[in-house]
Amino acid sequence: MEVSVEKDQANTQLNRLQVPAGIRWNADGLIPAVVQDVETREVLMLAYMNETALRLTLEEGRAWYYSRSRQTLWRKGETSGHTQKILDLRFDCDQDALLLTVEQSGMACHENYFSCFHYRTETAGFAKVGQPERRPEPDLGKVLRDLAEVIRSRREQRPEGAYTTYLFNQGLDKILKKVGEESAEVIIAAKNQAPAEIRYEVSDLLYHLLVMLEERGVALEEVACELRQRRK
């Protein structure tokens, strides 16, 4: 829930923006827009915007594009319901291309695939990869980063009634005790050969480890760097 609040805040900030001067539109008055899903980090599609589409996107916080084939504006999801909520919008270094980070509702592709990029080249042409109507699992790193941000806000704001607030108020010893307890429960779940129980207990352990990292001032990115350095 907390993550969705942050997304809403990003969307509200986007609504305050205006079409900037200095965009390098192409000869047809368009700019390409690469669209990336916020949860999976998968590239969903490549589309084009004219100035009106970009203005509507900024005003509504929902993706609008310009169809080169139909020569008309179109709002993503206007017929399918598979809308794109804009969470971030960036220009490249030449200001002639856009990168949109979106919260994708349903499938992005008109062929009912999550991403439009679902063709692989073969000797005689193309072959589809993946499955239609199937959304990829969220990226674990993104989930952990989002959770770490929520934990950080809990430490700073200490909202009453939140379990994370309780842990920070109790201090390091309580947090470490919970890390020990959850580690033992992961071991028990693994010995029981219970996949659902393992998933549940590992999730508990990861959460309490993130609380411990926040309490000790160790960023999740530092752990990522340490693990990358160990890779051989």
Side-chain angles (χ1 to χ4, degrees), residues 141-181:
K142 175 67 169 57
V143 172
L144 291 176
R145 288 192 296 273
D146 285 345
L147 180 55
E149 284 298 318
V150 173
I151 290 171
R152 180 175 295 113
S153 70
R154 289 285 189 261
R155 179 182 61 81
E156 294 173 350
Q157 301 172 14
R158 304 292 175 99
E160 187 176 351
Y163 175 65
T164 309
T165 298
Y166 164 76
L167 290 176
F168 283 126
N169 287 341
Q170 291 294 306
L172 179 62
D173 287 346
K174 179 64 175 180
I175 295 170
L176 295 179
K177 181 180 178 183
K178 290 300 298 182
V179 170
E181 291 174 356

Side-chain angles (χ1 to χ4, degrees), residues 19-33 48-51 54 91-98:
V19 176
I23 297 176
R24 298 177 63 183
W25 308 97
N26 67 14
D28 297 317
L30 304 175
I31 187 171
Y48 287 83
M49 291 183 174
N50 62 7
E51 185 171 354
L54 179 54
F91 289 84
D92 75 338
C93 54
D94 294 319
Q95 288 84 52
D96 63 359
L98 278 170

Side-chain angles (χ1 to χ4, degrees), residues 9-231:
Q9 290 173 345
N11 200 244
T12 300
Q13 293 173 358
L14 191 74
N15 296 155
R16 301 193 187 107
L17 300 178
Q18 296 180 345
V19 176
I23 297 176
R24 298 177 63 183
W25 308 97
N26 67 14
D28 297 317
L30 304 175
I31 187 171
V34 177
V35 186
Q36 184 179 37
D37 179 63
V38 67
E39 294 293 343
T40 65
R41 294 301 184 184
E42 188 165 350
V43 175
L44 299 177
M45 55 187 283
L46 171 66
Y48 287 83
M49 291 183 174
N50 62 7
E51 185 171 354
T52 302
L54 179 54
R55 177 178 54 78
L56 289 170
T57 297
L58 293 172
E59 289 177 356
E60 297 184 7
R62 302 281 177 175
W64 280 80
Y65 302 110
Y66 184 83
S67 171
R68 294 175 298 167
S69 60
R70 300 194 308 270
Q71 297 284 296
T72 185
L73 289 166
W74 62 286
R75 186 177 187 268
K76 181 64 176 175
E78 59 189 354
T79 56
S80 67
H82 298 171
T83 58
Q84 291 174 347
K85 181 179 180 180
I86 308 298
L87 302 181
D88 193 24
L89 186 152
R90 300 187 185 189
F91 289 84
D92 75 338
C93 54
D94 294 319
Q95 288 84 52
D96 63 359
L98 278 170
L99 175 63
L100 307 180
T101 302
V102 305
E103 182 180 304
Q104 176 66 47
S105 172
M107 304 294 105
C109 179
H110 75 282
E111 294 185 345
N112 219 18
Y113 281 75
F114 186 63
S115 169
C116 292
F117 295 94
H118 59 270
Y119 283 92
R120 178 177 290 134
T121 57
E122 288 190 343
T123 303
F126 302 96
K128 289 184 179 181
V129 295
Q131 298 177 349
E133 299 184 4
R134 182 180 180 275
R135 185 183 183 92
E137 297 299 323
D139 177 71
L140 177 60
K142 175 67 169 57
V143 172
L144 291 176
R145 288 192 296 273
D146 285 345
L147 180 55
E149 284 298 318
V150 173
I151 290 171
R152 180 175 295 113
S153 70
R154 289 285 189 261
R155 179 182 61 81
E156 294 173 350
Q157 301 172 14
R158 304 292 175 99
E160 187 176 351
Y163 175 65
T164 309
T165 298
Y166 164 76
L167 290 176
F168 283 126
N169 287 341
Q170 291 294 306
L172 179 62
D173 287 346
K174 179 64 175 180
I175 295 170
L176 295 179
K177 181 180 178 183
K178 290 300 298 182
V179 170
E181 291 174 356
E182 299 302 339
S183 298
E185 290 178 7
V186 168
I187 293 171
I188 294 170
K191 293 288 287 183
N192 290 341
Q193 300 183 15
E197 185 180 351
I198 292 172
R199 290 195 299 269
Y200 184 87
E201 298 301 346
V202 167
S203 297
D204 276 352
L205 177 57
L206 288 173
Y207 161 76
H208 286 92
L209 284 172
L210 290 175
V211 173
M212 182 271 293
L213 289 173
E214 177 65 26
E215 202 282 337
R216 292 286 86 183
V218 178
L220 192 59
E221 291 75 16
E222 296 178 60
V223 178
C225 289
E226 177 66 28
L227 290 172
R228 183 171 57 188
Q229 290 172 3
R230 296 184 184 189
R231 191 170 59 194

